Amino acid sequence: MRIFYAADTSPNIAFHSNLWRDNLFLSLVDLGHDVVEFDFDFRETFQRINTSDPRHSSFIKKNRGKVSEELLKQIKIEHAKKPLDLFFSYFYDACIWPEVIDEIRSMGIKTVNWFCNGSYQIHLVKEISPHYDWCLVPEKFRIEDYKKMGANPIYCQEAANPNIYKPFELTRDFDVTFVGQAYGERPSYVHHLLQKGLDVRVWGPGWGRDSIAESQDFFSRFFNLGSKVLVAKNWKGLLNKFQRKHQQKAVLRQIPQNVVGGILSDQELVKIFSRSKINLGLSACGDPQSTGSRILQVRLRDFEVPMSGGFYVVEYMEELEQFFEVGKEIVCYSCLDDLTEKIKYYLRNDSEREKIRLAGYERCLREHTWKKRFEKVFFEMGLK
């Protein structure tokens, strides 16, 4: 197929990464498709994605038109050179006007949008989703929600590109590691494990002292608003939210800085998986401490770690059993105490840990590549 691909390199605005380009774009190329990449710098666009946020509205309104115009221009040029079969995007509502998708379809080009934050951000794609021929949805529990908004969802779980995520011959010099942003319940999980005497190391945005200081300054500004907060709508809800955030930062301050690393490059991330005896998965997405509810979903990390040859321990979800044999290819925990005991057990049992690690790696190579995912969904779409 001839595919026009439009997406940022990564959804992580806090640091540079090629996460989605490495997984989605390169896998489409590896399948042998003729893939044309949209020539556009999305950094500013993806920094302001919330259409309901008044602070973003002015930029979004102007930028939507800018992106829409440039997108149509480049698609028409490429379509004239040689007909395009598929438009593949990773877009939010804030990226383009929905009518642009209609115009692309009117050229005889099929359209599909990949979006993997629907568990807690589905409202940010409600305008554009019904305009695509298909929406690729990794959150199984959101399929019906997409249908209700008039979209045509196809369940497509995450995966990993084995050309990027692969084992490295490195010494396993870390007992337990977690790589990811410090939000929600993650700091309390790490703090609990440290209190139990486990050697845990973390990397990613939000763990360092600078982030805590910035947060403290923010709280000071917030509470100095005084009477303005008291007269605001839902001020009690706002106050509760900020109190929970304050508690989260209090936990962060108790995490020793000698276990905290910085932000890793893409390759450094993959190498950490090989350097760790146990790679930790924390599956609650969004910020359950702020929303008051826990949302669990299968995540990209659930495939990145085993594909990189890492031993993986993650919170149990029934959906995971569709992709791994729990206890034989990955290990799952049910609560903090269970996590603590399983970490201690597998640190003591090297041979059993190694057996599970290798089985998870082999399962990923066989079944959980993006090439496999795309072959399946393209067949379902009737595309070749």
Side-chain angles (χ1 to χ4, degrees):
M1 284 191 295
R2 184 162 157 83
I3 301 172
F4 194 96
Y5 176 93
D8 199 4
T9 57
S10 168
N12 299 313
I13 62 172
F15 55 92
H16 175 73
S17 169
N18 285 317
L19 183 148
W20 284 124
R21 192 177 190 279
D22 286 347
N23 279 294
L24 303 177
F25 176 82
L26 293 183
S27 296
L28 290 169
V29 172
D30 289 342
L31 276 169
H33 299 298
D34 177 10
V35 187
V36 180
E37 193 168 11
F38 184 30
D39 185 10
F40 192 88
D41 187 343
F42 275 111
R43 282 176 295 181
E44 278 195 291
T45 302
F46 275 72
Q47 287 171 4
R48 300 173 179 87
I49 56 173
N50 191 348
T51 52
S52 63
D53 189 334
R55 297 171 300 174
H56 296 174
S57 57
S58 177
F59 171 84
I60 289 173
K61 185 175 181 180
K62 181 179 179 181
N63 191 63
R64 260 179 149 181
K66 179 182 175 182
V67 178
S68 297
E69 182 180 352
E70 185 61 28
L71 178 67
L72 282 173
K73 175 185 172 183
Q74 292 188 32
I75 285 180
K76 287 176 180 177
I77 289 172
E78 291 298 331
H79 197 49
K81 290 180 184 176
K82 184 179 179 182
L84 293 163
D85 301 297
L86 181 67
F87 171 65
F88 186 110
S89 64
Y90 184 145
F91 277 173
Y92 290 82
D93 288 344
C95 295
I96 55 167
W97 297 112
E99 294 76 16
V100 172
I101 306 302
D102 298 334
E103 188 166 347
I104 294 172
R105 293 176 67 186
S106 73
M107 300 179 206
I109 302 168
K110 296 296 184 181
T111 59
V112 62
N113 193 49
W114 161 261
F115 185 69
C116 64
N117 291 326
S119 55
Y120 64 103
Q121 289 186 334
I122 192 171
H123 60 289
L124 297 182
V125 292
K126 66 180 181 182
E127 288 185 59
I128 60 172
S129 293
H131 293 260
Y132 282 87
D133 289 292
W134 303 280
C135 294
L136 298 184
V137 180
E139 304 91 359
K140 195 172 187 178
F141 65 95
R142 287 296 188 201
I143 294 292
E144 290 304 315
D145 295 316
Y146 273 89
K147 290 179 179 178
K148 287 175 183 176
M149 67 170 68
N152 183 21
I154 294 178
Y155 177 55
C156 178
Q157 191 46 265
E158 311 229 36
N161 183 348
N163 295 323
I164 304 297
Y165 299 95
K166 53 192 175 183
F168 283 85
E169 291 295 328
L170 298 169
T171 302
R172 291 194 175 83
D173 47 355
F174 299 120
D175 280 358
V176 185
T177 63
F178 174 75
V179 183
Q181 188 174 348
Y183 68 75
E185 61 192 25
R186 290 175 172 182
S188 62
Y189 271 57
V190 171
H191 180 253
H192 173 89
L193 296 175
L194 289 168
Q195 290 293 99
K196 295 297 181 179
L198 293 167
D199 185 1
V200 184
R201 306 299 176 94
V202 296
W203 289 264
W207 294 99
R209 291 290 186 222
D210 290 344
S211 299
I212 297 171
E214 288 173 8
S215 176
Q216 288 173 323
D217 181 56
F218 176 75
F219 286 123
S220 297
R221 295 198 307 271
F222 174 78
F223 285 110
N224 284 338
L225 290 174
S227 60
K228 291 182 181 179
V229 175
L230 294 178
V231 298
K233 290 183 179 179
N234 193 29
W235 68 269
K236 288 185 179 179
L238 285 171
L239 189 58
N240 288 335
K241 177 179 179 180
F242 281 94
Q243 285 175 335
R244 286 192 292 266
K245 287 281 189 181
H246 183 68
Q247 291 167 356
Q248 174 184 313
K249 295 304 177 181
V251 173
L252 271 171
R253 286 195 296 272
Q254 297 178 58
I255 295 177
Q257 289 301 286
N258 65 338
V259 308
V260 174
I263 295 173
L264 301 173
S265 69
D266 291 346
Q267 188 175 75
E268 288 171 338
L269 166 73
V270 177
K271 287 183 176 180
I272 285 294
F273 300 151
S274 287
R275 293 178 63 188
S276 307
K277 294 176 184 176
I278 296 176
N279 293 275
L280 180 60
L282 301 175
S283 300
C285 57
D287 192 348
Q289 291 187 341
S290 293
T291 61
S293 61
R294 294 186 86 238
I295 301 176
L296 296 179
Q297 72 170 87
V298 178
R299 305 179 75 102
L300 180 64
R301 186 59 46 84
D302 301 339
F303 302 99
E304 287 176 322
V305 173
M307 185 69 83
S308 302
F311 178 83
Y312 191 50
V313 179
V314 65
E315 185 168 356
Y316 176 79
M317 287 168 280
E318 185 178 354
E319 190 177 353
L320 276 172
E321 298 203 56
Q322 294 179 232
F323 306 100
F324 295 102
E325 191 169 353
V326 175
K328 293 187 177 181
E329 295 170 337
I330 62 170
V331 171
C332 289
Y333 62 90
S334 59
C335 63
L336 261 176
D337 288 339
D338 186 39
L339 171 61
T340 304
E341 291 308 309
K342 282 179 175 170
I343 287 175
K344 291 179 178 179
Y345 175 82
Y346 285 105
L347 285 176
R348 292 194 305 266
N349 292 274
D350 294 352
S351 60
E352 191 172 348
R353 191 179 69 238
E354 184 70 4
K355 183 178 179 181
I356 293 172
R357 181 188 72 80
L358 289 172
Y361 172 60
E362 291 166 0
R363 179 70 179 270
C364 274
L365 281 177
R366 288 196 310 271
E367 299 181 20
H368 302 320
T369 67
W370 285 105
K371 290 171 69 173
K372 292 280 187 182
R373 299 282 193 264
F374 288 146
E375 286 172 342
K376 182 176 183 296
V377 295
F378 288 161
F379 177 81
E380 191 170 344
M381 294 172 183
L383 302 174
K384 297 181 180 179

